[in-house]
């Protein structure tokens, strides 16, 4: 018996997760861009990268590897929320 493959069009259909409405099922997982400023602040380059992803029709973008305290910083170019 052959298994049925889900339609690729499902990836492009809108859906909701709780109160969050998403335009499709495509998610971009958090990755390392290394584009934050020396103090961990967001730079124009990093903003441009996120805008490019959003314009590319990504339904959900989870932002970069981020430190929440100075002790948790892994390296230069990492976004900081401390």
């Amino acid at each position: 018996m052959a298994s049925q493959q889900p339609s690729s069009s499902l990836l492009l259909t809108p859906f909701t997760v709780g109160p969050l409405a998403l335009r499709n099922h495509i998610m971009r997982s958090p990755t390392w861009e290394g584009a934050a400023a020396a103090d961990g602040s967001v730079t124009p380059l990093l903003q441009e990268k996120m805008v490019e992803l959003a314009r590319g029709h990504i339904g959900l973008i989870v932002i970069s590897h981020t430190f929440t305290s100075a002790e948790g910083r892994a390296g230069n170019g990492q976004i900081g929320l401390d």
Side-chain angles (χ1 to χ4, degrees), residues 9-17 20-26 50-61:
S9 63
L10 176 64
L11 287 173
L12 304 177
T13 60
F15 74 109
T16 59
V17 178
L20 183 63
L22 302 172
R23 71 171 120 186
N24 58 46
H25 288 70
I26 300 170
M50 295 302 122
V51 168
E52 181 181 335
L53 288 168
R55 286 189 179 140
H57 305 292
I58 303 297
L60 178 64
I61 300 168

Side-chain angles (χ1 to χ4, degrees), residues 32 40 64-82:
W32 173 262
S64 309
H65 181 216
T66 304
F67 65 89
T68 56
S69 69
E71 296 81 20
R73 183 181 206 143
N76 293 329
Q78 186 179 7
I79 295 174
L81 290 175
D82 64 335

Side-chain angles (χ1 to χ4, degrees), residues 1-54:
M1 174 193 242
S3 64
Q4 279 190 303
Q5 295 295 322
S7 170
S8 62
S9 63
L10 176 64
L11 287 173
L12 304 177
T13 60
F15 74 109
T16 59
V17 178
L20 183 63
L22 302 172
R23 71 171 120 186
N24 58 46
H25 288 70
I26 300 170
M27 177 184 152
R28 192 266 195 167
S29 62
T31 60
W32 173 262
E33 287 86 14
D39 64 356
S41 61
V42 174
T43 62
L45 175 61
L46 190 53
Q47 288 175 335
E48 289 172 25
K49 287 177 181 269
M50 295 302 122
V51 168
E52 181 181 335
L53 288 168

